[in-house]
Amino acid sequence: MPEVSVTLEVGNDGVAVIAISNPPVNALAIQIITALKEKFDEAVRRNDVKAIVLTGKGGRFSGGFDINVFEKVHKTGDVSLVPDVSVELVVNTIEDCKKPVVAAVEGLALGGGLELALGCHARIAAPRTQLGLPELTLGVIPGFGGTQRLPRLVGLSKAVEMMLLSKAIMSEEGKKLGLIDAIVASEELLKASRLWALDIADRRKPWIRSLHRTDKIGPLSEARYELKIARQQARKTAPNMPQHQACLDVIEEGIVHGGYSGVLKEAKVFKELVLSDTSKGLVHVFFAQRATSKVPNVTDVGLKPRHVKKVAVIGGGLMGSGIATALLLSNIYVVLKEVNSEYLLKGIRTIEANVRDLVKKGKLTQDKAEKTLSKLKGVLDYSDFKEVDMVIEAVIESVPLKQKIFSEIEKACPAHCILATNTSTIDLNLVGEKTSSEDRIVGAHFFSPAHVMPLLEIVRTKKTSAQVILDLMAVGKIIKKVPVVVGNCTGFAVNRTFFPYSQGAHILVNLGVDVFRIDRAIRSFGLPIGPFQLQDLAGYGVFIATAKEFANAFPDRTFQTPLVELLVKSGRNGKNNGKGYYIYEKGSAPKPDLSVLPIIEESRRLTNIMPGGKPISVTDQEIVEMILFPVVNEACRVLDEGIVVRASDLDIASVLGMSFPSYRGGLVFWADAVGPNHVYMSLKKWSELYGNFYKPSRFLEERVTRGIPLSAPASSSPVSKSRL
């Protein structure tokens, strides 16, 4: 294990260099914070020290406070585990130090790391150093004085933007803003910082305590107006996240009553927020994402991922072109195969449009775009497949077609080549049935649009080799996806878990609940759009096809609604033709289409499930629960069958694949917070009223009876072993 330490070295020039070492990012663990205080006290005591430089080892200043501490606080409920850094260390020890302190910043200074630097009397940075306060992404606010010092150094509007959007800047911009005093080449950084510190000691350079500055704040009335606008904006963009409003309140406290008063309020609010449900959810998601990279019998058996240089993508439709775009943007050569030149040209044009769109948004330079597209080759046969390392098939959901393709590519590709399918529902054993390479067959299930959505579901069968899974995980990371390894079943982990989502919504509509009210309730809960607008976007063909798959796989618990077919008959196809549950017109937001109501009435007449023929009466909370509790119930079956490695994999997959609100911690975490007993009792009641769709699963019933959280690891059952 690399050493976790803080060192102090005094040079002949009388400068003490205090260096943080806690690889890989010099996180501020509790022992680091304690040691910093000791080293500063020693440097102040020593007569041979005139000035101090604070830095980080290994080319990085510090990535911020150790998030493991938050996890401990959430498990114990003991907020005293968070040390008093803001007043004790940053104000009393660093900022009010009797000797000048200069921060020598390199690589990154994020969160608490940047806040330490803000407490110093000057900041010297290496080029391309990342600076930011991303604490709000963890449900808290900067807690070591950042809410007070950043506005005083860069101005209020820039500071609010950096904190509320968790937007990092580079040291070059920091220099223009006044956050950084000088930029110096990495190899000169320590030398320049030592000289600067001595210049402050000898009064050749100003000795500046950021907390006492007011020149960048502006008149009080203007500052208050700016904060009012920021509050309104945050209410719109982050309605269920208390840390945004809290951050603005704390900034205002400091502007009105002075920096030190702001620091005290910040410390108090920080501790309150650490214990909030929002922080618990966001910290859980942070760790859940990290945990996905550990897969038993794959990542722990000494295998190394092989280098994938060239990938063939079969099918240039929406998914195929999106997958090809993601690969190309990460410098992987792509061979795109289509059945005829018309389809091929269309696929290539879609990829070009995806790349051009990134140039337009300023995320890619023209030069990089051209280099990216030069790595693409379009083909109509398999002759170029002899030198690819992986094939991803992305054609329509047809078993015979996929089987034909897989027996062809087995012959056309080299023996080491990974044979992947982007199917979203079809059993992988069927796909590879007619090949003799089942150890190389794997699911690479991207979510649409594939070059944007961050989740990659890696589906393995009993025969898929560990090497192939590891290779695909590595490719996933290269193309900036979060790979989650799952077992093989209809719908895999994400679509399987969420199939009751739209079905639950359809049951409610047929029970007499207003379709637009359902969408509003789900949006208020925190999903970006409701289930009916989602159907409009995906297209009704997709809904009908997947509903059929799930009805075949799980006939005991599917609800078959006539509504979507009635919509298709009436000439609607959602966003595709501008008419669905909503009206879609270019340049304006979707508007509820009231002419859909008679069609909904017809569906209700056909299903005839309203008790006594009258619409049911439900609250908005009940709407959310009647849609999401059946999803939790299916998640329980997925956990019971061992389709995922751990419950937190379903949490991160629900956040990244289905846009479940991250501040609720993901699906299973949320269910545990709501209480498995409440989920169980509600489902039991609804199953008695409305049928088997709501029937609680065995796993849920067992967990409730034994008083165990849904997320607790499953005892290894024979079923779970067979799936993963």
Side-chain angles (χ1 to χ4, degrees):
M1 282 289 286
E3 200 196 346
V4 177
S5 66
V6 176
T7 56
L8 182 147
E9 287 175 10
V10 182
N12 296 333
D13 55 358
V15 177
V17 174
I18 296 175
I20 302 164
S21 175
N22 184 9
V25 294
N26 295 333
L28 301 174
I30 289 174
Q31 69 203 83
I32 294 278
I33 288 161
T34 309
L36 276 169
K37 179 101 178 58
E38 287 165 5
K39 297 299 179 195
F40 268 96
D41 289 348
E42 185 189 334
V44 170
R45 274 198 317 272
R46 283 176 61 161
N47 293 330
D48 58 342
V49 173
K50 286 171 72 177
I52 300 163
V53 167
L54 175 63
T55 193
K57 288 191 175 167
R60 292 187 169 114
F61 187 74
S62 170
F65 186 59
D66 181 4
I67 300 166
N68 291 298
V69 178
F70 289 165
E71 204 181 26
K72 281 184 196 133
V73 170
H74 294 157
K75 278 180 184 150
T76 59
D78 181 6
V79 79
S80 72
L81 291 169
V82 179
D84 177 7
V85 179
S86 191
V87 175
E88 275 292 296
L89 180 64
V90 187
V91 174
N92 296 348
T93 306
I94 299 176
E95 194 164 49
D96 290 350
C97 184
K98 293 180 177 66
K99 295 172 182 178
V101 185
V102 171
V105 184
E106 187 176 5
L108 46 78
L110 298 173
L114 179 60
E115 290 176 284
L116 288 187
L118 295 176
C120 298
H121 307 119
R123 285 148 297 283
I124 314 300
R128 308 283 305 152
T129 297
Q130 210 184 355
L131 311 164
L133 296 177
E135 283 88 343
L136 273 76
T137 59
L138 294 171
V140 293
I141 60 172
F144 303 168
T147 62
Q148 305 307 307
R149 292 187 184 86
L150 192 64
R152 286 168 167 75
L153 285 167
V154 303
L156 184 58
S157 64
K158 186 66 189 180
V160 165
E161 178 195 315
M162 284 175 72
M163 286 185 267
L164 262 61
L165 301 180
S166 295
K167 193 174 170 186
I169 60 169
M170 288 299 174
S171 46
E172 288 72 8
E173 188 182 348
K175 170 80 171 69
K176 283 182 197 148
L177 292 165
L179 177 58
I180 297 297
D181 295 282
I183 293 181
V184 178
S186 179
E187 56 276 14
E188 297 289 316
L189 183 62
L190 271 182
K191 185 182 164 195
S193 303
R194 300 173 90 112
L195 288 170
W196 199 289
L198 289 170
D199 279 351
I200 297 175
D202 296 336
R203 304 291 185 204
R204 286 193 294 273
K205 285 215 163 60
W207 189 321
I208 297 166
R209 293 181 174 90
S210 334
L211 196 59
H212 302 277
R213 280 180 66 174
T214 53
D215 52 304
K216 295 246 180 122
I217 296 294
L220 185 59
S221 58
E222 275 178 36
R224 279 195 151 142
Y225 178 71
E226 262 186 70
L227 290 168
K228 182 185 164 191
I229 299 294
R231 275 197 186 89
Q232 289 167 353
Q233 189 64 24
R235 267 187 211 107
K236 271 190 221 146
T237 54
N240 296 328
M241 294 200 255
Q243 71 272 33
H244 289 70
Q245 300 298 334
C247 186
L248 294 164
D249 291 347
V250 169
I251 293 170
E252 183 160 10
E253 172 78 18
I255 289 170
V256 176
H257 299 291
Y260 190 66
S261 183
V263 161
L264 296 178
K265 176 158 181 157
E266 179 196 82
K268 179 175 171 286
V269 171
F270 176 79
K271 289 200 166 184
E272 286 164 8
L273 286 170
V274 170
L275 287 172
S276 69
D277 289 344
T278 308
S279 177
K280 287 173 186 168
L282 289 166
V283 169
H284 174 72
V285 166
F286 175 87
F287 284 109
Q289 183 163 331
R290 284 188 163 187
T292 58
S293 60
K294 293 182 175 72
V295 181
N297 303 319
V298 173
T299 57
D300 56 359
V301 289
L303 293 172
K304 293 228 169 354
R306 296 171 298 185
H307 189 40
V308 173
K309 291 193 200 99
K310 189 182 270 193
V311 176
V313 177
I314 302 176
L318 182 69
M319 285 310 290
S321 56
I323 294 165
T325 306
L327 293 161
L328 290 163
L329 288 168
S330 296
N331 293 320
I332 294 172
Y333 285 87
V334 173
V335 176
L336 181 70
K337 182 187 179 297
E338 256 300 356
V339 288
N340 61 41
S341 47
E342 183 197 339
Y343 284 179
L344 181 60
L345 192 61
K346 199 175 168 199
I348 290 170
R349 290 220 168 113
T350 309
I351 294 165
E352 287 170 350
N354 289 341
V355 172
R356 265 202 311 275
D357 195 40
L358 291 170
V359 174
K360 217 183 288 172
K361 288 177 178 162
K363 292 181 179 175
L364 204 63
T365 63
Q366 188 58 47
D367 181 44
K368 179 86 168 60
E370 280 162 24
K371 276 190 188 135
T372 298
L373 291 169
S374 71
K375 292 183 166 63
L376 173 66
K377 182 178 184 181
V379 299
L380 296 171
D381 60 32
Y382 292 121
S383 51
D384 280 274
F385 279 48
K386 58 182 179 292
E387 50 190 38
V388 299
D389 303 304
M390 176 159 77
V391 178
I392 301 175
E393 165 275 307
V395 302
I396 55 165
E397 297 283 66
S398 150
V399 174
L401 177 60
K402 287 182 191 287
Q403 287 180 337
K404 178 177 176 289
I405 288 170
F406 271 77
S407 50
E408 288 168 355
I409 58 177
E410 184 185 29
K411 295 183 191 90
C413 298
H416 73 276
C417 181
I418 298 162
L419 310 176
T421 171
N422 177 54
T423 179
S424 55
T425 43
I426 298 171
D427 187 320
L428 259 66
N429 291 320
L430 278 175
V431 173
E433 203 174 52
K434 295 189 165 39
T435 73
S436 54
S437 304
E438 288 180 89
D439 59 327
R440 291 194 276 152
I441 291 176
V442 66
H445 178 219
F446 290 79
F447 289 73
S448 186
H451 60 298
V452 177
M453 291 295 275
L455 183 66
L456 171 61
E457 222 177 1
I458 296 177
V459 189
R460 58 167 158 185
T461 70
K462 288 179 208 169
K463 293 177 180 167
T464 311
S465 80
Q467 183 67 58
V468 162
I469 297 157
L470 190 70
D471 293 345
L472 189 48
M473 286 174 76
V475 170
K477 284 181 182 152
I478 289 165
I479 64 173
K480 300 177 179 63
K481 304 291 175 203
V482 176
V484 176
V485 176
V486 301
N488 181 32
C489 65
T490 301
F492 316 130
V494 179
N495 287 345
R496 156 87 185 270
T497 299
F498 275 82
F499 92 83
Y501 174 71
S502 57
Q503 301 211 340
H506 276 281
I507 290 179
L508 281 175
V509 165
N510 284 291
L511 284 169
V513 183
D514 175 58
V515 64
F516 305 113
R517 184 183 169 208
I518 293 170
D519 272 2
R520 280 197 305 275
I522 290 291
R523 278 202 309 273
S524 297
F525 175 78
L527 276 97
I529 55 175
F532 295 102
Q533 197 182 340
L534 182 64
Q535 278 161 41
D536 272 359
L537 291 185
Y540 300 152
V542 171
F543 176 83
I544 292 165
T546 52
K548 209 174 281 174
E549 285 282 342
F550 288 114
N552 291 336
F554 312 114
D556 58 317
R557 55 179 185 276
T558 43
F559 172 72
Q560 301 199 21
T561 176
L563 178 54
V564 181
E565 272 158 358
L566 290 171
L567 290 170
V568 173
K569 263 187 209 148
S570 75
R572 292 167 191 264
N573 192 22
K575 198 180 178 191
N576 288 337
N577 69 352
K579 274 182 89 65
Y581 300 100
Y582 296 81
I583 296 168
Y584 297 87
E585 286 165 350
K586 224 179 164 94
S588 63
K591 287 190 276 295
D593 184 357
L594 300 182
S595 70
V596 84
L597 298 179
I599 304 169
I600 292 170
E601 280 308 321
E602 172 64 5
S603 175
R604 286 173 183 157
R605 193 183 62 73
L606 290 169
T607 52
N608 192 25
I609 60 168
M610 287 196 281
K614 289 198 173 70
I616 63 164
S617 169
V618 280
T619 64
D620 281 2
Q621 186 182 334
E622 283 170 321
I623 288 174
V624 169
E625 292 180 350
M626 285 181 84
I627 289 172
L628 290 177
F629 285 2
V631 178
V632 171
N633 201 25
E634 199 59 38
C636 288
R637 295 185 180 99
V638 164
L639 291 170
D640 196 23
E641 292 170 30
I643 301 293
V644 287
V645 175
R646 54 187 78 78
S648 66
D649 284 1
L650 257 189
D651 287 329
I652 194 70
S654 67
V655 168
L656 300 179
M658 286 296 177
S659 302
F660 192 87
S662 55
Y663 54 83
R664 297 194 189 276
L667 181 71
V668 186
F669 183 89
W670 170 72
D672 273 336
V674 168
N677 190 51
H678 174 54
V679 176
Y680 173 73
M681 295 308 286
S682 304
L683 287 167
K684 199 165 184 295
K685 177 181 80 183
W686 300 327
S687 69
E688 285 155 14
L689 288 169
Y690 312 119
N692 257 359
F693 174 77
Y694 292 105
K695 189 182 173 192
S697 63
R698 185 178 60 91
F699 181 92
L700 175 59
E701 190 169 356
E702 243 173 51
R703 291 282 160 124
V704 169
T705 310
R706 292 165 61 198
I708 304 172
L710 302 181
S711 56
S715 56
S716 52
S717 64
V719 185
S720 68
K721 281 180 188 160
S722 73
R723 292 303 172 103
L724 277 176

